[in-house]
Amino acid sequence: MSDRKRKDKVLLIYTGGTIGMVQDESGALQPFAMERIYDALPLLHRTNYIIDSCQLERIIDSSNMTPEFWVDIANIIEKRYDDYDGFVVLHGTDTMAYTASALSFMFKNLTKPIVLTGSQLPLGMLRSDGRENIICALEIASSQHMLIPEVTIFFESHLYRGNRSTKVSAENFDAFSSFNYPSLAKAGIKISYKPNLFLPVPTGELKVRKAFDRRIAVLKLFPGITPSVVQSIVCIPNLQGLIIETFGSGNAPTEPWFIEALQDALDKGIIVFNVTQCKAGAVQMRQYQASCDMDRIGVIGGHDITIEAAVTKLMYLLGNFPDDKDKVRDRLSKSLRGEISTDIHEDCEDL
Ligand code: ASP
């Protein structure tokens, strides 16, 4: 077949989540097998691109997501990378932003779209948002109109950069948002793309890195937090990384016991990463006195990173540089896949 006539091909990968769920006898929602997606959506046979499908060996509620599943998804895509123009991953909404972030770091020099989507209502239900989400995600991944060389999330008319996205609603159809980066496309009567916001198409060879180090913790600060809570986290055996979810532009208590606990962590070689609890805006160390001590002792500022991207980036960097904490620290401050707004866009060859 000549290249002009060749139909685009998309691989649809089902991982679980509400989109493919049915009710069991007790009324609880449970995942079911992939073939049902075609029963629920016969329209899929009418698209003008070819859709193949597969599913993870074990389909899950995404609350059970782990780095091992990220590797399973990446393996499927890597093995069939040359055979398809794009990939759609059907995923539960609860941890979709984590998976999208993790995949964005794993795939260096990505030149094909990987679009994650899911739904708030099961596909089998009359008012399901899943139909629209899947069809738009497939169209975007089929690259018919525009090549988006990124891992993205499509949900309720918006296409977001995956590592900028956050689940914001447990009930509305527009369940996701991207507070610190505009959406890459909007689906109305037509899908309107904003190519000036896409990552540039890379020229290097695709590399897929699959190492993650799970030995991290997230400590969310709150007024009244006690020394024993902070110290008990710092004392976790073999902890390698600690994300502190701070107030506002990266602020934390200035009390000596708090800074001493962080100093203890740093002395043990634990990387301490400062990520704001605010949905929009960025950590700016030294803007207030309440972040000066952290900056002085070597806590790393997370800029405007989401917590989902922070968790996965830290696991990814620790997994890939197990013996080089300086590199982990250095790369945390740089944008690897457009996950933070910074002028530092050095190409980190090793990542
Ligand atoms: N608990 C489900 C999941 O994340 C919710 C959903 O799919 O929206 O797998």
Side-chain angles (χ1 to χ4, degrees):
M1 197 185 286
S2 83
D3 225 34
R4 238 154 38 102
K5 288 216 182 110
R6 191 185 78 84
K7 277 190 172 181
D8 283 332
K9 286 179 76 183
V10 182
L11 182 63
L12 184 66
I13 305 163
Y14 179 49
T15 69
T18 295
I19 195 151
M21 282 190 177
V22 279
Q23 287 185 314
D24 66 13
E25 310 79 64
S26 73
L29 288 170
Q30 282 205 10
F32 69 94
M34 177 75 187
E35 309 83 66
R36 301 271 194 113
I37 291 219
Y38 289 93
D39 294 346
L41 205 50
L43 272 178
L44 283 185
H45 296 292
R46 291 182 20 206
T47 56
N48 61 355
Y49 37 86
I50 297 164
I51 306 163
D52 289 334
S53 59
C54 64
Q55 65 185 53
L56 291 186
E57 237 163 72
R58 208 179 116 219
I59 48 180
I60 54 166
D61 183 296
S62 77
S63 317
N64 288 314
M65 191 49 68
T66 62
E68 289 71 31
F69 285 105
W70 297 335
V71 172
D72 288 345
I73 299 168
N75 278 336
I76 294 176
I77 297 173
E78 186 185 22
K79 257 193 221 136
R80 302 164 86 169
Y81 191 74
D82 293 334
D83 303 333
Y84 292 93
D85 298 282
F87 302 85
V88 171
V89 179
L90 300 181
H91 195 290
T93 54
D94 290 348
T95 62
M96 191 187 292
Y98 289 89
T99 299
S101 301
L103 292 173
S104 78
F105 297 123
M106 295 170 90
F107 282 83
K108 180 172 169 75
N109 294 331
L110 184 70
T111 54
K112 297 185 177 183
I114 301 178
V115 188
L116 281 79
T117 195
S119 67
Q120 292 284 56
L121 283 178
L123 206 50
M125 288 176 73
L126 201 57
R127 291 185 55 247
S128 176
D129 50 331
R131 265 180 293 274
E132 193 63 23
N133 286 347
I134 294 188
I135 289 169
C136 287
L138 284 166
E139 184 164 333
I140 291 164
S142 74
S143 311
Q144 297 196 97
H145 310 293
M146 191 70 68
L147 168 64
I148 307 174
E150 299 203 25
V151 179
T152 54
I153 288 182
F154 181 85
F155 222 89
E156 175 67 5
S157 79
H158 282 282
L159 183 74
Y160 301 109
R161 175 168 297 160
N163 58 33
R164 293 290 195 144
S165 311
T166 298
K167 181 171 178 181
V168 290
S169 176
E171 59 179 12
N172 294 342
F173 284 153
D174 53 346
F176 285 84
S177 205
S178 165
F179 292 96
N180 285 329
Y181 199 75
S183 66
L184 305 177
K186 183 164 182 342
I189 291 176
K190 287 192 307 196
I191 299 181
S192 48
Y193 294 92
K194 298 177 204 148
N196 57 319
L197 297 173
F198 304 169
L199 289 173
V201 181
T203 49
E205 199 190 319
L206 178 78
K207 285 196 189 116
V208 189
R209 293 198 175 79
K210 298 166 193 167
F212 288 94
D213 189 335
R214 298 166 67 153
R215 293 173 299 171
I216 70 161
V218 179
L219 170 63
K220 183 166 188 159
L221 299 183
F222 55 89
I225 192 167
T226 56
S228 58
V229 169
V230 179
Q231 282 151 7
S232 63
I233 290 190
V234 169
C235 288
I236 294 171
N238 284 321
L239 192 71
Q240 300 296 309
L242 172 62
I243 295 170
I244 346 168
E245 277 199 88
T246 53
F247 306 121
S249 52
N251 303 312
T254 51
E255 290 175 62
W257 66 263
F258 182 76
I259 297 300
E260 277 157 26
L262 295 190
Q263 181 70 67
D264 252 19
L266 292 163
D267 291 346
K268 290 183 194 169
I270 298 170
I271 306 264
V272 184
F273 195 31
N274 179 353
V275 176
T276 175
Q277 293 178 15
C278 293
K279 292 291 171 216
V283 165
Q284 287 176 26
M285 303 269 266
R286 290 195 174 269
Q287 188 185 11
Y288 288 89
Q289 210 231 319
S291 62
C292 286
D293 282 341
M294 288 193 290
D295 190 46
R296 177 180 53 77
I297 64 176
V299 172
I300 298 159
H303 297 271
D304 57 353
I305 199 164
T306 61
I307 188 64
E308 295 88 341
V311 164
T312 52
K313 186 175 181 179
L314 188 55
M315 285 186 183
Y316 173 78
L317 291 175
L318 288 167
N320 282 282
F321 297 121
D323 306 314
D324 195 344
K325 289 270 170 64
D326 285 342
K327 266 200 178 155
V328 176
R329 271 185 220 103
D330 178 69
R331 302 303 190 261
L332 276 176
S333 315
K334 290 181 176 152
S335 170
L336 302 180
R337 309 282 187 264
E339 72 280 9
I340 49 175
S341 313
T342 165
D343 294 337
I344 311 173
H345 284 295
E346 242 172 68
D347 188 30
C348 303
E349 247 326 297
D350 44 3
L351 281 175

